[in-house]
Amino acid sequence: MEGFQKINLLDVLKDTDETLVKKALENFSCPPNADVEDFIRNKAITFSLQRLASVWLILASYRNEWVNVGYFALAQKYTHIKLKNLSSKLRQRLRKFVMFDKEIDKYLLTAPLIGQLGKNFTNSYNELITGDELLKIACDTVADGQRIFGGRVVYLECEDVPALVKFYEKNGFVQFGQRSPEGEEQYKLKNHSLIQLLKYLDV
């Protein structure tokens, strides 16, 4: 997207001492979402080096220098979905990318997961990019990858917060299910369920 730079954290780690990278990431602040802040500060480097996810830093020009205004993380995952919960048009599109699992009477969908998405509130850098812009960059990145390895779907999970769900729906995502938090999620989430949403990338 014009006006922003997108950098893979793995490329940064190849050219810069890991200690310096970690110190820089520790300046990332995201008060609205403690999990987003914790991931970039304490887990992003490990996830990148072990190829568990790709972490993308988004930079914008501010006072003649590039500053980190946000980031997102992508991972290849799978989830189960009931097609009957979706519109007929979307069901028809998704049938090309799913496999039916008879044991649980659901379809198996393998697709990129937007695992983290957040703006950097340090020095009010969050005002340099909108949530819509950050999400579009994430979806465009997925679409670029799918031109190489195939696919047309991206999905994510968010807390059951009406304003948050509405934000994703406004950006073309559709609810397809929900699940209960597992492991560490049970202690981090204020709500007792995660809303699952997907988007068909018609680009």
Side-chain angles (χ1 to χ4, degrees), residues 26-169:
E26 287 175 349
N27 290 323
F28 193 100
S29 173
C30 189
N33 193 321
D35 189 48
V36 165
E37 182 176 296
D38 177 65
F39 181 87
I40 193 67
R41 287 185 174 191
N42 303 308
K43 301 174 183 177
I45 290 178
T46 298
F47 272 60
S48 291
L49 292 175
Q50 295 183 359
R51 306 297 202 277
L52 298 175
S54 64
V55 180
W56 298 84
L57 308 178
I58 306 304
L59 310 181
S61 180
Y62 179 71
R63 295 181 178 177
N64 297 318
E65 67 175 339
W66 291 95
V67 298
N68 180 204
V69 297
Y71 85 95
F72 59 88
L74 304 175
Q76 190 69 10
K77 295 286 187 176
Y78 74 88
T79 187
H80 289 95
I81 178 174
K82 284 191 174 182
L83 294 184
K84 66 180 181 181
N85 296 336
L86 306 174
S87 68
S88 58
K89 181 178 180 180
L90 188 53
R91 286 201 304 269
Q92 184 177 0
R93 287 177 159 182
L94 289 179
R95 287 186 188 280
K96 306 172 186 176
F97 305 103
V98 297
M99 181 182 300
F100 188 65
D101 188 331
K102 294 182 179 180
E103 293 186 6
I104 59 175
D105 193 31
K106 291 183 180 180
Y107 286 88
L108 177 66
L109 171 68
T110 300
L113 166 74
I114 301 177
Q116 299 287 346
L117 180 89
K119 298 196 291 181
N120 185 8
F121 285 71
T122 298
N123 298 325
S124 298
Y125 292 154
N126 59 297
E127 297 177 3
L128 301 176
I129 189 170
T130 66
D132 294 346
E133 289 172 326
L134 183 59
L135 182 57
K136 185 178 187 307
I137 295 172
C139 290
D140 287 348
T141 301
V142 171
D144 288 341
Q146 290 179 332
R147 291 189 185 97
I148 299 173
F149 55 75
R152 297 294 290 271
V153 183
V154 62
Y155 80 103
L156 54 80
E157 299 175 335
C158 72
E159 288 189 67
D160 189 4
V161 177
L164 193 55
V165 174
K166 184 177 180 180
F167 163 72
Y168 288 117
E169 291 180 333

Side-chain angles (χ1 to χ4, degrees), residues 79 157 177-182 185 189 192-196:
T79 187
E157 299 175 335
Q178 66 181 54
R179 69 173 181 83
S180 300
E182 302 172 353
E185 294 173 335
L189 300 179
H192 298 295
S193 64
L194 285 167
I195 303 300
Q196 298 173 305

